[in-house]
Amino acid sequence: MNEYVKVMKSWKDFSGRARRREYWMFVLFNVIFGIVANIIDGIIGTNGLIGGLYSLVVLVPALAVSVRRLHDVGKSGWWILICLVPVIGALYFLYLTILEGQQGTNEYGPNPKEVNNTIQ
């Protein structure tokens, strides 16, 4: 849950890098909250209004964490557009988000894993 809150607080930060844990925990809680919003929609009969509003609220943070995740594997944030290619694009994006981040500093900043280890 901490990663979800962290991503939501840094909703407009498209620079830097995001580790796999940060990205996937955000995705997990995003899916859970989306399902809950849709269940609430069904119960009170708002025809997807709450789910739609939730989707709008998390759109920019989701894009930002996705771009930072791409930066972690050494790709430009523009690679997110690969998702527009049916099936193959989404599968390649999934592959990129599963990859281990680049060791050391890359053009997008220091490795967040190494930065966190030096702080502790």
Side-chain angles (χ1 to χ4, degrees):
M1 182 73 172
N2 292 337
E3 284 85 2
Y4 181 83
V5 172
K6 177 183 172 188
V7 169
M8 292 303 284
K9 285 182 180 177
S10 60
W11 65 275
K12 59 182 178 178
D13 184 13
F14 285 80
S15 62
R17 297 167 64 172
R19 295 182 62 195
R20 284 185 294 189
R21 178 178 172 89
E22 177 183 352
Y23 176 80
W24 285 109
M25 292 304 286
F26 174 78
V27 169
L28 173 66
F29 281 100
N30 194 23
V31 167
I32 291 169
F33 293 150
I35 290 170
V36 169
N38 286 319
I39 290 171
I40 293 171
D41 271 332
I43 291 171
I44 61 176
T46 54
N47 295 331
L49 179 66
I50 295 172
L53 288 175
Y54 175 75
S55 296
L56 284 175
V57 167
V58 297
L59 177 63
V60 174
L63 288 173
V65 75
S66 297
V67 166
R68 291 194 312 268
R69 181 71 201 121
L70 290 169
H71 288 173
D72 194 40
V73 296
K75 299 284 187 188
S76 165
W78 289 105
W79 274 95
I80 199 166
L81 296 177
I82 195 74
C83 291
L84 297 175
V85 177
V87 182
I88 294 171
L91 290 173
Y92 185 66
F93 180 76
L94 175 65
Y95 168 74
L96 290 175
T97 60
I98 293 172
L99 285 177
E100 176 74 29
Q102 289 182 333
Q103 298 298 318
T105 301
N106 68 13
E107 63 183 293
Y108 303 104
N111 186 344
K113 186 174 184 178
E114 294 169 1
V115 171
N116 288 341
N117 287 340
T118 58
I119 292 173
Q120 295 173 355

